[in-house]
Amino acid sequence: MKLRRKLALRLHSHYVKTQAKLHTLNYFFWECTAQCNLACLHCGSDCKVQPSIANMPAEDFLNVARQVASHYDPAGVMVVITGGEPLMRNDLHEVGAELMKLGFAWGMVSNGYLFTPEKFRLLRNNGLRSVTISLDGLEESHDWMRGKQGSFEKAMNAIRILAAEPGMTYDVVTCVNQRNFGELEQISQLLAEAGVKRWRLFMIDPIGRAAENSELFLSGEQFRRLLNYIVTLRREGNMAVSYGCDGYLGVYETHVRDGFFFCRAGIHVASVLANGDISACPNIDRGFVQGNIYTDDFMDVWNTRFQIFRNRTQLKHGVCSHCKEWKHCWGDGMHLHHPGGKGPVVCYHHKLSGNG
């Protein structure tokens, strides 16, 4: 490793430790519903959430948002509404209007199935700032992954609506698997033709529903080919392409995304889950829940708990126990761990080096 890169990684490690001590909240998820209109094969929310959970009253979440606004400048906190499928709720525009009144920017993550021009305009008029839409392949591959025929065309319609909106912040995410791995160039062309400017690609992790489905996972060689493809697209510069935020990637760090890997869960990122639980990213194992808004004060939980997120030495087991890269990755993403586990369920760095 070149000296300059070693120094950059050392500085980044110091930065991560400092940020963990400060733990300034700037990214806030609301899992507004456990209900969904699709049956995605890779759903990470299927760890323990039951779809029978009733939708949280909007006012209960807004009360938490008001707490956050009383401790932080809301202009510095991004609220992201997720699910389930957020558009299963009919009151998001009302929630958005209140968030906008409080001073928050807000966005949402959607599968696009219920995304119509009328619904988008209503949300946009009430402060919708950003949207992430999933497109997991060409029509057959996407519909297979999403478990519903017609979901591809619905997602593409949503993408076209967003691409046509002046000043809209949005991106498309693709979970790469065995079925769509050979379609990436065609997907890239499809997105470019639709006017998409930002595309993120992910590997699928063995968590949630995906855990037992080998067809969803790439081999180490395919993973390297995926990252090399992203490097090529970034050099071409026709679209802002990046690999997802999870996983320390060794020599690929800074070449497939902007900046070094940093799992911000519990450091900058918190969430209120569908049943009121307080956690970090919604995909993290429910065993890492830190409290519940119906029994605990959210800001007190944020400031006094989350220790395992901010000092992750408790996770240094298994493949992590003697790894020289620990100081750079802290055990990869928190979503790859289980309470009391023996290290991450997959190590990206080992996978790239042929050991995982």
Side-chain angles (χ1 to χ4, degrees):
M1 187 183 295
K2 294 181 179 179
L3 178 60
R4 184 175 179 180
R5 190 169 180 81
K6 285 183 178 180
L7 289 173
L9 277 169
R10 189 178 302 168
L11 287 171
H12 178 69
S13 296
H14 178 72
Y15 169 77
V16 170
K17 290 178 182 179
T18 301
Q19 293 305 306
K21 291 178 181 178
L22 296 172
H23 55 264
T24 302
L25 180 64
N26 56 34
Y27 210 76
F28 186 28
F29 284 100
W30 178 34
E31 187 184 60
C32 72
T33 181
Q35 298 175 10
C36 189
N37 49 352
L38 301 184
C40 303
L41 296 176
H42 65 310
C43 182
S45 297
D46 200 38
C47 299
K48 293 182 181 176
V49 168
Q50 300 298 318
S52 59
I53 293 174
N55 285 349
M56 178 186 296
E59 191 62 22
D60 294 354
F61 169 71
L62 289 171
N63 282 334
V64 178
R66 293 181 187 109
Q67 290 180 42
V68 174
S70 70
H71 288 79
Y72 292 104
D73 178 1
V77 181
M78 182 69 188
V79 177
V80 180
I81 300 177
T82 184
E85 169 52 43
L87 293 178
M88 296 290 285
R89 294 185 65 122
N90 295 317
D91 59 355
L92 291 190
H93 64 287
E94 297 171 359
V95 175
E98 184 61 24
L99 289 173
M100 184 169 59
K101 189 183 302 182
L102 290 169
F104 291 102
W106 70 278
M108 62 182 292
V109 179
S110 174
N111 60 42
Y113 200 88
L114 299 175
F115 204 93
T116 64
E118 296 76 20
K119 189 161 289 189
F120 170 64
R121 186 55 49 201
L122 180 62
L123 296 173
R124 183 74 163 145
N125 290 342
N126 285 282
L128 178 65
R129 186 79 61 83
S130 70
V131 178
T132 292
I133 297 288
S134 296
L135 188 76
D136 293 319
L138 302 180
E139 184 168 7
E140 185 177 343
S141 298
H142 179 91
D143 287 357
W144 166 78
M145 172 81 97
R146 295 287 161 174
K148 192 167 187 175
Q149 190 172 3
S151 57
F152 170 82
E153 193 53 46
K154 295 285 190 179
M156 284 304 304
N157 286 338
I159 289 167
R160 294 185 186 105
I161 292 168
L162 292 167
E165 177 71 9
M168 187 69 201
T169 299
Y170 71 97
D171 67 353
V172 175
V173 298
T174 298
C175 293
V176 185
N177 58 77
Q178 292 292 336
R179 292 227 185 171
N180 65 18
F181 184 73
E183 301 174 351
L184 295 180
E185 186 60 37
Q186 292 168 279
I187 298 169
S188 174
Q189 293 173 3
L190 181 67
L191 295 179
E193 290 168 1
V196 172
K197 303 299 182 185
R198 301 184 68 85
W199 186 27
R200 279 185 295 151
L201 299 99
F202 285 82
M203 281 247 290
I204 297 174
D205 302 311
I207 61 174
R209 291 180 195 166
E212 303 301 326
N213 192 338
S214 61
E215 200 169 2
L216 297 177
F217 310 129
L218 299 184
S219 67
E221 174 59 26
Q222 288 173 318
F223 189 22
R224 287 188 289 274
R225 287 167 59 191
L226 170 62
L227 296 182
N228 287 331
Y229 176 64
I230 294 173
V231 170
T232 298
L233 291 180
R234 286 170 67 89
R235 285 174 180 166
E236 291 173 354
N238 298 321
M239 188 187 300
V241 181
S242 64
Y243 183 71
C245 59
D246 56 343
Y248 173 71
L249 304 176
V251 296
Y252 287 96
E253 287 294 314
T254 71
H255 296 300
V256 295
R257 56 190 171 206
D258 301 332
F260 291 105
F261 169 72
F262 177 10
C263 177
R264 300 173 186 269
I267 296 174
H268 294 313
V269 180
S271 63
V272 171
L273 303 180
N275 63 352
D277 282 344
I278 301 168
S279 188
C281 296
N283 274 355
I284 290 174
D285 191 294
R286 266 48 180 179
F288 289 117
V289 161
Q290 301 295 301
N292 188 285
I293 64 169
Y294 295 112
T295 57
D296 302 292
D297 178 86
F298 176 84
M299 287 306 307
D300 179 64
V301 171
W302 176 253
N303 286 322
T304 64
R305 303 184 193 178
F306 285 90
Q307 287 86 356
I308 195 168
F309 293 85
R310 297 165 188 170
N311 180 3
R312 299 185 187 179
T313 53
Q314 300 171 65
L315 304 175
K316 199 173 182 182
H317 301 291
V319 70
C320 296
S321 58
H322 301 292
C323 183
K324 295 179 180 178
E325 301 297 323
W326 168 266
K327 58 184 175 294
H328 300 143
C329 80
W330 277 22
D332 263 338
M334 281 294 297
H335 66 290
L336 298 175
H337 290 267
H338 301 299
K342 299 179 180 179
V345 294
V346 62
C347 171
Y348 285 93
H349 186 252
H350 275 66
K351 195 176 188 75
L352 286 171
S353 61
N355 298 319

